[in-house]
Amino acid sequence: MHSKMKEVYDSVIERDPDQPEFHQAVEEVLDSLGPVIDAHPDYLQVVKSIVEPERIIQFRVPWYDDEGNLQVNRGFRIQMNGAIGPYKGGLRFHPSVNQSILKFLAFEQVFKNSLTGLPMGGGKGGSDFNPKGRSDNEVRRFCQSFMMELWRHIGANLDVPAGDIGVGGREIGFLFGMYRKLANEFTGVLTGKGLSYGGSLIRPEATGYGTVYFAREMLATRDMSFEGAKVAISGSGNVAQFAAEKVLDLGGKPVTLSDSSGFIHDSNGIDREKLAWVMDLKNVRRGRIVEYAEHFGCDYTESKPEPNLNGLWGADADIALPCATQNEINGEEAKMLVDNGCIAVAEGANMPCTPEAVECFHENGLLFAPGKASNAGGVATSGLEMSQNSLRLNWSREEVDRRLEEIMVNIHRNAADTAAKYGMEGNYVAGANIAGFLKVAEAMEAQGHI
Ligand code: NDP
């Protein structure tokens, strides 16, 4: 790492020594910025500032469970950087949520949002609430209590949250309803809304579709495609489901899916009919992926405690799309993919590959797409939802998908061209970090480092 960047990195660790996920995300970006600082020494001021959130809001979320017991969770919103537009980024409800995880996600979001070309700053929020096993009534009471505090900190021109792990259409609906009641206005304050109250077509599909569009562009640089490719996918939530759908559209064969309990390996391929069954299992019946193996008769492996997807990446696959959670492919698992002849990895999740895994992919000449570039389709389409809300118009499915695809092609080109310009051809990590940084840096400098 460049010596000036190392000084900033050390200060981040010294300030918050107990935030390993945040350190990891910062290290990856600062590692790429050396050549930028050599070319623009004044941007060192920006770097010092960009690693510190503009604002962190933390609050108590009390709610009653179905037995009438009081439960108390912790809520957060990290408003990381608003230099190029209103803060924008998802809400995560998962027991692991803490400041380190949300700061890493909010930091990544700043660069990702900048890469989309849309005017959106970066933010992230959530709670250590676990929706799994909770009734609809419990989830509703929790969401309403969460919004009782959050509503005063967000707004259509200030901060526009969306979904993430544990926050899907049901939760966004409850959150939006409560915001509307408290603020006494109907605005596009959340994205991922239902179609009947201001949502956009293709928003649910966008992150998974976008990841596959990005991977398609990467593969094309080597005259390769998804046609006939075996594709290992992790997760079975929003991103994984629609990544699998787009892989099928492009002639590929998804062979794995997972949840936090284990993974299935279906060497016959997860076809459209099986995928529809998974969508019903996960989105309607809220069941476990083991039921797929029981229903369709394929291999199922229970997860080991750490890393919890251990084994999935040993599947024979040409392309890997990690779409579950952070740090789900470590160095050893990356080596298994390489040994099995995998040619490309595109992150659907945020930071699913550890630094050792990324190094292994680069050393072995794999195509590797970092999440801040490849999964930016979700937030980009949220941006399109905001535009439609402002215009009070709804675009067709084809129109939104066309714009999404165009944005992903542009992000790919921008990351590739920027990497080449700074002497790191084919390194999408460096290209995405530098391209995302430059736009925000210019805006921060112009605004006087406030
Ligand atoms: P969902 O909650 O819909 O699905 C998450 C999936 O990952 C589930 O299958 C879940 O299993 C699994 N999972 C979650 N945590 C773990 C864990 N600790 N270990 C093993 N498996 C786990 O979330 P999304 O699909 O929306 O998000 C997935 C990833 O994509 C996240 O990293 C998110 O930040 C990122 N992302 C999402 C975007 C979006 O638009 N939704 C946009 C950009 C990035 P289980 O149900 O058992 O917990």
Side-chain angles (χ1 to χ4, degrees), residues 393-432:
L393 276 177
N394 294 317
W395 294 330
S396 68
R397 192 180 163 83
E398 292 69 31
E399 171 75 10
V400 182
D401 196 22
R402 186 187 60 73
R403 288 178 190 253
L404 165 66
E405 189 172 354
E406 193 177 292
I407 289 171
M408 296 315 298
V409 169
N410 284 337
I411 294 175
H412 174 270
R413 189 179 309 123
N414 192 3
D417 290 353
T418 307
K421 182 174 165 198
Y422 283 86
M424 290 173 278
E425 195 149 355
N427 184 336
Y428 290 97
V429 175

mmCIF file of all heavy atoms in Angstrom, residues 393-432:
data_model
loop_
_atom_site.group_PDB
_atom_site.id
_atom_site.type_symbol
_atom_site.label_atom_id
_atom_site.label_comp_id
_atom_site.label_asym_id
_atom_site.label_seq_id
_atom_site.Cartn_x
_atom_site.Cartn_y
_atom_site.Cartn_z
ATOM 1 N N LEU A 393 -44.444 8.872 -12.799
ATOM 2 C CA LEU A 393 -44.644 8.035 -13.993
ATOM 3 C C LEU A 393 -44.157 6.629 -13.698
ATOM 4 O O LEU A 393 -43.291 6.451 -12.844
ATOM 5 C CB LEU A 393 -43.746 8.559 -15.131
ATOM 6 C CG LEU A 393 -44.228 9.703 -15.988
ATOM 7 C CD1 LEU A 393 -43.123 10.069 -16.987
ATOM 8 C CD2 LEU A 393 -45.480 9.315 -16.746
ATOM 9 N N ASN A 394 -44.706 5.639 -14.406
ATOM 10 C CA ASN A 394 -44.171 4.281 -14.297
ATOM 11 C C ASN A 394 -43.655 3.835 -15.651
ATOM 12 O O ASN A 394 -44.393 3.868 -16.631
ATOM 13 C CB ASN A 394 -45.267 3.294 -13.860
ATOM 14 C CG ASN A 394 -45.736 3.597 -12.465
ATOM 15 O OD1 ASN A 394 -44.936 3.870 -11.576
ATOM 16 N ND2 ASN A 394 -47.045 3.569 -12.269
ATOM 17 N N TRP A 395 -42.376 3.431 -15.685
ATOM 18 C CA TRP A 395 -41.829 2.923 -16.934
ATOM 19 C C TRP A 395 -42.149 1.442 -17.063
ATOM 20 O O TRP A 395 -42.327 0.736 -16.062
ATOM 21 C CB TRP A 395 -40.306 3.125 -16.965
ATOM 22 C CG TRP A 395 -39.906 4.570 -16.989
ATOM 23 C CD1 TRP A 395 -40.610 5.603 -17.539
ATOM 24 C CD2 TRP A 395 -38.721 5.152 -16.433
ATOM 25 N NE1 TRP A 395 -39.931 6.797 -17.371
ATOM 26 C CE2 TRP A 395 -38.775 6.543 -16.702
ATOM 27 C CE3 TRP A 395 -37.615 4.652 -15.753
ATOM 28 C CZ2 TRP A 395 -37.768 7.422 -16.299
ATOM 29 C CZ3 TRP A 395 -36.607 5.524 -15.362
ATOM 30 C CH2 TRP A 395 -36.681 6.897 -15.633
ATOM 31 N N SER A 396 -42.150 0.962 -18.311
ATOM 32 C CA SER A 396 -42.461 -0.458 -18.557
ATOM 33 C C SER A 396 -41.284 -1.327 -18.106
ATOM 34 O O SER A 396 -40.157 -0.849 -17.920
ATOM 35 C CB SER A 396 -42.712 -0.686 -20.043
ATOM 36 O OG SER A 396 -41.486 -0.506 -20.739
ATOM 37 N N ARG A 397 -41.578 -2.616 -17.976
ATOM 38 C CA ARG A 397 -40.548 -3.598 -17.621
ATOM 39 C C ARG A 397 -39.370 -3.531 -18.605
ATOM 40 O O ARG A 397 -38.212 -3.500 -18.203
ATOM 41 C CB ARG A 397 -41.245 -4.974 -17.699
ATOM 42 C CG ARG A 397 -40.483 -6.086 -17.108
ATOM 43 C CD ARG A 397 -41.248 -7.406 -17.216
ATOM 44 N NE ARG A 397 -40.279 -8.467 -17.002
ATOM 45 C CZ ARG A 397 -39.900 -8.888 -15.814
ATOM 46 N NH1 ARG A 397 -40.424 -8.379 -14.721
ATOM 47 N NH2 ARG A 397 -38.978 -9.823 -15.691
ATOM 48 N N GLU A 398 -39.695 -3.441 -19.886
ATOM 49 C CA GLU A 398 -38.647 -3.424 -20.918
ATOM 50 C C GLU A 398 -37.781 -2.173 -20.792
ATOM 51 O O GLU A 398 -36.569 -2.208 -20.934
ATOM 52 C CB GLU A 398 -39.266 -3.458 -22.337
ATOM 53 C CG GLU A 398 -39.967 -4.758 -22.704
ATOM 54 C CD GLU A 398 -41.264 -5.007 -21.928
ATOM 55 O OE1 GLU A 398 -41.947 -4.019 -21.554
ATOM 56 O OE2 GLU A 398 -41.596 -6.177 -21.676
ATOM 57 N N GLU A 399 -38.464 -1.040 -20.498
ATOM 58 C CA GLU A 399 -37.748 0.238 -20.392
ATOM 59 C C GLU A 399 -36.762 0.205 -19.219
ATOM 60 O O GLU A 399 -35.597 0.593 -19.343
ATOM 61 C CB GLU A 399 -38.786 1.363 -20.184
ATOM 62 C CG GLU A 399 -38.233 2.738 -19.836
ATOM 63 C CD GLU A 399 -37.627 3.442 -21.032
ATOM 64 O OE1 GLU A 399 -37.807 2.956 -22.160
ATOM 65 O OE2 GLU A 399 -36.936 4.463 -20.819
ATOM 66 N N VAL A 400 -37.211 -0.310 -18.061
ATOM 67 C CA VAL A 400 -36.326 -0.335 -16.883
ATOM 68 C C VAL A 400 -35.188 -1.320 -17.120
ATOM 69 O O VAL A 400 -34.017 -1.029 -16.813
ATOM 70 C CB VAL A 400 -37.103 -0.692 -15.595
ATOM 71 C CG1 VAL A 400 -36.171 -0.664 -14.388
ATOM 72 C CG2 VAL A 400 -38.273 0.265 -15.366
ATOM 73 N N ASP A 401 -35.505 -2.488 -17.687
ATOM 74 C CA ASP A 401 -34.467 -3.487 -17.931
ATOM 75 C C ASP A 401 -33.434 -2.949 -18.925
ATOM 76 O O ASP A 401 -32.228 -3.170 -18.775
ATOM 77 C CB ASP A 401 -35.124 -4.782 -18.456
ATOM 78 C CG ASP A 401 -34.174 -5.967 -18.369
ATOM 79 O OD1 ASP A 401 -33.225 -5.928 -17.567
ATOM 80 O OD2 ASP A 401 -34.378 -6.946 -19.123
ATOM 81 N N ARG A 402 -33.912 -2.220 -19.931
ATOM 82 C CA ARG A 402 -32.987 -1.645 -20.928
ATOM 83 C C ARG A 402 -32.031 -0.666 -20.257
ATOM 84 O O ARG A 402 -30.822 -0.679 -20.473
ATOM 85 C CB ARG A 402 -33.800 -0.933 -22.024
ATOM 86 C CG ARG A 402 -32.970 -0.433 -23.181
ATOM 87 C CD ARG A 402 -33.779 0.423 -24.155
ATOM 88 N NE ARG A 402 -34.372 1.630 -23.559
ATOM 89 C CZ ARG A 402 -33.689 2.707 -23.205
ATOM 90 N NH1 ARG A 402 -32.386 2.761 -23.377
ATOM 91 N NH2 ARG A 402 -34.306 3.753 -22.673
ATOM 92 N N ARG A 403 -32.605 0.179 -19.365
ATOM 93 C CA ARG A 403 -31.749 1.163 -18.671
ATOM 94 C C ARG A 403 -30.762 0.464 -17.737
ATOM 95 O O ARG A 403 -29.602 0.860 -17.619
ATOM 96 C CB ARG A 403 -32.607 2.141 -17.864
ATOM 97 C CG ARG A 403 -33.368 3.134 -18.740
ATOM 98 C CD ARG A 403 -34.233 4.027 -17.858
ATOM 99 N NE ARG A 403 -35.148 4.833 -18.637
ATOM 100 C CZ ARG A 403 -35.024 6.153 -18.828
ATOM 101 N NH1 ARG A 403 -34.025 6.794 -18.289
ATOM 102 N NH2 ARG A 403 -35.907 6.810 -19.543
ATOM 103 N N LEU A 404 -31.245 -0.583 -17.041
ATOM 104 C CA LEU A 404 -30.369 -1.339 -16.132
ATOM 105 C C LEU A 404 -29.200 -1.938 -16.911
ATOM 106 O O LEU A 404 -28.032 -1.811 -16.518
ATOM 107 C CB LEU A 404 -31.184 -2.454 -15.436
ATOM 108 C CG LEU A 404 -30.368 -3.544 -14.738
ATOM 109 C CD1 LEU A 404 -29.597 -2.982 -13.549
ATOM 110 C CD2 LEU A 404 -31.289 -4.684 -14.266
ATOM 111 N N GLU A 405 -29.529 -2.570 -18.030
ATOM 112 C CA GLU A 405 -28.483 -3.217 -18.818
ATOM 113 C C GLU A 405 -27.466 -2.187 -19.314
ATOM 114 O O GLU A 405 -26.251 -2.411 -19.249
ATOM 115 C CB GLU A 405 -29.143 -3.949 -20.003
ATOM 116 C CG GLU A 405 -28.180 -4.822 -20.742
ATOM 117 C CD GLU A 405 -28.861 -5.705 -21.795
ATOM 118 O OE1 GLU A 405 -30.116 -5.708 -21.857
ATOM 119 O OE2 GLU A 405 -28.134 -6.377 -22.541
ATOM 120 N N GLU A 406 -27.984 -1.039 -19.736
ATOM 121 C CA GLU A 406 -27.099 0.026 -20.239
ATOM 122 C C GLU A 406 -26.172 0.507 -19.114
ATOM 123 O O GLU A 406 -24.979 0.700 -19.317
ATOM 124 C CB GLU A 406 -28.006 1.174 -20.719
ATOM 125 C CG GLU A 406 -27.339 2.228 -21.548
ATOM 126 C CD GLU A 406 -28.411 3.238 -22.007
ATOM 127 O OE1 GLU A 406 -29.274 2.855 -22.824
ATOM 128 O OE2 GLU A 406 -28.389 4.377 -21.508
ATOM 129 N N ILE A 407 -26.732 0.663 -17.903
ATOM 130 C CA ILE A 407 -25.919 1.115 -16.761
ATOM 131 C C ILE A 407 -24.830 0.083 -16.457
ATOM 132 O O ILE A 407 -23.663 0.421 -16.234
ATOM 133 C CB ILE A 407 -26.822 1.375 -15.524
ATOM 134 C CG1 ILE A 407 -27.669 2.630 -15.755
ATOM 135 C CG2 ILE A 407 -25.979 1.533 -14.250
ATOM 136 C CD1 ILE A 407 -28.765 2.868 -14.707
ATOM 137 N N MET A 408 -25.192 -1.210 -16.479
ATOM 138 C CA MET A 408 -24.188 -2.235 -16.165
ATOM 139 C C MET A 408 -23.081 -2.276 -17.226
ATOM 140 O O MET A 408 -21.907 -2.455 -16.896
ATOM 141 C CB MET A 408 -24.847 -3.621 -16.037
ATOM 142 C CG MET A 408 -25.835 -3.765 -14.885
ATOM 143 S SD MET A 408 -25.306 -3.087 -13.288
ATOM 144 C CE MET A 408 -23.858 -4.068 -12.904
ATOM 145 N N VAL A 409 -23.462 -2.098 -18.486
ATOM 146 C CA VAL A 409 -22.456 -2.080 -19.554
ATOM 147 C C VAL A 409 -21.524 -0.890 -19.337
ATOM 148 O O VAL A 409 -20.292 -0.996 -19.455
ATOM 149 C CB VAL A 409 -23.150 -2.022 -20.944
ATOM 150 C CG1 VAL A 409 -22.148 -1.726 -22.051
ATOM 151 C CG2 VAL A 409 -23.891 -3.330 -21.218
ATOM 152 N N ASN A 410 -22.111 0.255 -18.954
ATOM 153 C CA ASN A 410 -21.284 1.452 -18.719
ATOM 154 C C ASN A 410 -20.363 1.277 -17.524
ATOM 155 O O ASN A 410 -19.213 1.703 -17.547
ATOM 156 C CB ASN A 410 -22.165 2.683 -18.484
ATOM 157 C CG ASN A 410 -22.759 3.185 -19.781
ATOM 158 O OD1 ASN A 410 -22.212 2.907 -20.852
ATOM 159 N ND2 ASN A 410 -23.875 3.894 -19.696
ATOM 160 N N ILE A 411 -20.878 0.663 -16.442
ATOM 161 C CA ILE A 411 -20.027 0.457 -15.257
ATOM 162 C C ILE A 411 -18.860 -0.456 -15.635
ATOM 163 O O ILE A 411 -17.712 -0.208 -15.264
ATOM 164 C CB ILE A 411 -20.836 -0.157 -14.085
ATOM 165 C CG1 ILE A 411 -21.892 0.835 -13.583
ATOM 166 C CG2 ILE A 411 -19.907 -0.555 -12.938
ATOM 167 C CD1 ILE A 411 -22.816 0.265 -12.505
ATOM 168 N N HIS A 412 -19.164 -1.502 -16.397
ATOM 169 C CA HIS A 412 -18.095 -2.419 -16.810
ATOM 170 C C HIS A 412 -17.039 -1.657 -17.611
ATOM 171 O O HIS A 412 -15.832 -1.760 -17.359
ATOM 172 C CB HIS A 412 -18.674 -3.578 -17.631
ATOM 173 C CG HIS A 412 -17.606 -4.458 -18.204
ATOM 174 N ND1 HIS A 412 -17.045 -4.249 -19.438
ATOM 175 C CD2 HIS A 412 -16.935 -5.512 -17.662
ATOM 176 C CE1 HIS A 412 -16.100 -5.141 -19.642
ATOM 177 N NE2 HIS A 412 -16.023 -5.919 -18.585
ATOM 178 N N ARG A 413 -17.494 -0.859 -18.564
ATOM 179 C CA ARG A 413 -16.560 -0.143 -19.432
ATOM 180 C C ARG A 413 -15.724 0.851 -18.618
ATOM 181 O O ARG A 413 -14.506 0.951 -18.758
ATOM 182 C CB ARG A 413 -17.339 0.595 -20.537
ATOM 183 C CG ARG A 413 -16.409 1.172 -21.589
ATOM 184 C CD ARG A 413 -17.157 1.876 -22.711
ATOM 185 N NE ARG A 413 -18.219 1.082 -23.287
ATOM 186 C CZ ARG A 413 -19.506 1.463 -23.361
ATOM 187 N NH1 ARG A 413 -19.881 2.629 -22.895
ATOM 188 N NH2 ARG A 413 -20.404 0.691 -23.920
ATOM 189 N N ASN A 414 -16.409 1.569 -17.712
ATOM 190 C CA ASN A 414 -15.731 2.569 -16.894
ATOM 191 C C ASN A 414 -14.653 1.914 -16.023
ATOM 192 O O ASN A 414 -13.514 2.387 -15.943
ATOM 193 C CB ASN A 414 -16.801 3.265 -16.017
ATOM 194 C CG ASN A 414 -16.284 4.505 -15.336
ATOM 195 O OD1 ASN A 414 -15.144 4.906 -15.537
ATOM 196 N ND2 ASN A 414 -17.121 5.108 -14.506
ATOM 197 N N ALA A 415 -15.020 0.789 -15.367
ATOM 198 C CA ALA A 415 -14.045 0.105 -14.491
ATOM 199 C C ALA A 415 -12.878 -0.426 -15.319
ATOM 200 O O ALA A 415 -11.710 -0.287 -14.924
ATOM 201 C CB ALA A 415 -14.733 -1.033 -13.734
ATOM 202 N N ALA A 416 -13.180 -1.017 -16.478
ATOM 203 C CA ALA A 416 -12.115 -1.586 -17.316
ATOM 204 C C ALA A 416 -11.200 -0.481 -17.846
ATOM 205 O O ALA A 416 -9.973 -0.578 -17.784
ATOM 206 C CB ALA A 416 -12.733 -2.371 -18.469
ATOM 207 N N ASP A 417 -11.800 0.608 -18.354
ATOM 208 C CA ASP A 417 -10.989 1.694 -18.928
ATOM 209 C C ASP A 417 -10.139 2.368 -17.858
ATOM 210 O O ASP A 417 -8.987 2.731 -18.095
ATOM 211 C CB ASP A 417 -11.890 2.755 -19.585
ATOM 212 C CG ASP A 417 -12.552 2.226 -20.850
ATOM 213 O OD1 ASP A 417 -12.199 1.104 -21.274
ATOM 214 O OD2 ASP A 417 -13.430 2.924 -21.402
ATOM 215 N N THR A 418 -10.734 2.556 -16.658
ATOM 216 C CA THR A 418 -9.982 3.236 -15.591
ATOM 217 C C THR A 418 -8.811 2.371 -15.148
ATOM 218 O O THR A 418 -7.703 2.880 -14.923
ATOM 219 C CB THR A 418 -10.910 3.554 -14.395
ATOM 220 O OG1 THR A 418 -12.047 4.255 -14.888
ATOM 221 C CG2 THR A 418 -10.208 4.379 -13.344
ATOM 222 N N ALA A 419 -9.035 1.060 -15.031
ATOM 223 C CA ALA A 419 -7.932 0.165 -14.646
ATOM 224 C C ALA A 419 -6.809 0.267 -15.680
ATOM 225 O O ALA A 419 -5.629 0.378 -15.318
ATOM 226 C CB ALA A 419 -8.439 -1.275 -14.542
ATOM 227 N N ALA A 420 -7.176 0.256 -16.958
ATOM 228 C CA ALA A 420 -6.164 0.316 -18.014
ATOM 229 C C ALA A 420 -5.418 1.654 -17.954
ATOM 230 O O ALA A 420 -4.186 1.711 -18.062
ATOM 231 C CB ALA A 420 -6.820 0.126 -19.376
ATOM 232 N N LYS A 421 -6.169 2.742 -17.726
ATOM 233 C CA LYS A 421 -5.554 4.075 -17.686
ATOM 234 C C LYS A 421 -4.503 4.173 -16.579
ATOM 235 O O LYS A 421 -3.493 4.844 -16.714
ATOM 236 C CB LYS A 421 -6.676 5.106 -17.461
ATOM 237 C CG LYS A 421 -6.195 6.520 -17.456
ATOM 238 C CD LYS A 421 -7.334 7.503 -17.391
ATOM 239 C CE LYS A 421 -6.789 8.869 -17.025
ATOM 240 N NZ LYS A 421 -7.834 9.754 -16.550
ATOM 241 N N TYR A 422 -4.766 3.494 -15.464
ATOM 242 C CA TYR A 422 -3.823 3.553 -14.335
ATOM 243 C C TYR A 422 -2.858 2.363 -14.331
ATOM 244 O O TYR A 422 -2.255 2.039 -13.315
ATOM 245 C CB TYR A 422 -4.588 3.669 -13.008
ATOM 246 C CG TYR A 422 -5.117 5.077 -12.782
ATOM 247 C CD1 TYR A 422 -6.338 5.467 -13.294
ATOM 248 C CD2 TYR A 422 -4.355 6.020 -12.094
ATOM 249 C CE1 TYR A 422 -6.824 6.762 -13.125
ATOM 250 C CE2 TYR A 422 -4.820 7.317 -11.912
ATOM 251 C CZ TYR A 422 -6.057 7.683 -12.426
ATOM 252 O OH TYR A 422 -6.508 8.968 -12.259
ATOM 253 N N GLY A 423 -2.717 1.714 -15.490
ATOM 254 C CA GLY A 423 -1.693 0.668 -15.642
ATOM 255 C C GLY A 423 -2.042 -0.656 -14.987
ATOM 256 O O GLY A 423 -1.145 -1.434 -14.660
ATOM 257 N N MET A 424 -3.345 -0.921 -14.743
ATOM 258 C CA MET A 424 -3.709 -2.196 -14.107
ATOM 259 C C MET A 424 -4.774 -2.916 -14.928
ATOM 260 O O MET A 424 -5.837 -3.276 -14.428
ATOM 261 C CB MET A 424 -4.201 -1.924 -12.671
ATOM 262 C CG MET A 424 -3.074 -1.473 -11.755
ATOM 263 S SD MET A 424 -3.654 -0.966 -10.143
ATOM 264 C CE MET A 424 -4.188 0.706 -10.473
ATOM 265 N N GLU A 425 -4.483 -3.104 -16.186
ATOM 266 C CA GLU A 425 -5.461 -3.670 -17.114
ATOM 267 C C GLU A 425 -6.070 -4.974 -16.584
ATOM 268 O O GLU A 425 -5.351 -5.840 -16.078
ATOM 269 C CB GLU A 425 -4.781 -3.936 -18.459
ATOM 270 C CG GLU A 425 -5.770 -4.166 -19.539
ATOM 271 C CD GLU A 425 -5.267 -3.698 -20.916
ATOM 272 O OE1 GLU A 425 -4.180 -3.107 -21.000
ATOM 273 O OE2 GLU A 425 -5.985 -3.939 -21.863
ATOM 274 N N GLY A 426 -7.383 -5.106 -16.692
ATOM 275 C CA GLY A 426 -8.062 -6.340 -16.275
ATOM 276 C C GLY A 426 -8.343 -6.405 -14.789
ATOM 277 O O GLY A 426 -8.990 -7.339 -14.322
ATOM 278 N N ASN A 427 -7.869 -5.407 -14.032
ATOM 279 C CA ASN A 427 -8.094 -5.416 -12.573
ATOM 280 C C ASN A 427 -9.341 -4.566 -12.267
ATOM 281 O O ASN A 427 -9.260 -3.346 -12.108
ATOM 282 C CB ASN A 427 -6.856 -4.868 -11.863
ATOM 283 C CG ASN A 427 -6.998 -4.952 -10.347
ATOM 284 O OD1 ASN A 427 -8.111 -4.995 -9.818
ATOM 285 N ND2 ASN A 427 -5.872 -4.971 -9.656
ATOM 286 N N TYR A 428 -10.482 -5.244 -12.201
ATOM 287 C CA TYR A 428 -11.748 -4.521 -12.000
ATOM 288 C C TYR A 428 -11.852 -3.944 -10.585
ATOM 289 O O TYR A 428 -12.609 -3.008 -10.365
ATOM 290 C CB TYR A 428 -12.938 -5.456 -12.262
ATOM 291 C CG TYR A 428 -13.098 -5.834 -13.724
ATOM 292 C CD1 TYR A 428 -12.586 -7.024 -14.216
ATOM 293 C CD2 TYR A 428 -13.764 -4.995 -14.607
ATOM 294 C CE1 TYR A 428 -12.723 -7.373 -15.548
ATOM 295 C CE2 TYR A 428 -13.917 -5.331 -15.941
ATOM 296 C CZ TYR A 428 -13.390 -6.531 -16.409
ATOM 297 O OH TYR A 428 -13.537 -6.865 -17.732
ATOM 298 N N VAL A 429 -11.103 -4.513 -9.640
ATOM 299 C CA VAL A 429 -11.132 -3.980 -8.272
ATOM 300 C C VAL A 429 -10.550 -2.561 -8.296
ATOM 301 O O VAL A 429 -11.187 -1.599 -7.835
ATOM 302 C CB VAL A 429 -10.315 -4.875 -7.302
ATOM 303 C CG1 VAL A 429 -10.257 -4.255 -5.919
ATOM 304 C CG2 VAL A 429 -10.909 -6.275 -7.253
ATOM 305 N N ALA A 430 -9.350 -2.458 -8.866
ATOM 306 C CA ALA A 430 -8.701 -1.140 -8.925
ATOM 307 C C ALA A 430 -9.532 -0.178 -9.772
ATOM 308 O O ALA A 430 -9.759 0.985 -9.393
ATOM 309 C CB ALA A 430 -7.295 -1.282 -9.497
ATOM 310 N N GLY A 431 -10.012 -0.652 -10.919
ATOM 311 C CA GLY A 431 -10.772 0.208 -11.825
ATOM 312 C C GLY A 431 -12.024 0.759 -11.156
ATOM 313 O O GLY A 431 -12.338 1.951 -11.256
ATOM 314 N N ALA A 432 -12.746 -0.109 -10.443
ATOM 315 C CA ALA A 432 -14.000 0.325 -9.793
ATOM 316 C C ALA A 432 -13.699 1.281 -8.643
ATOM 317 O O ALA A 432 -14.373 2.312 -8.474
ATOM 318 C CB ALA A 432 -14.771 -0.886 -9.286
#
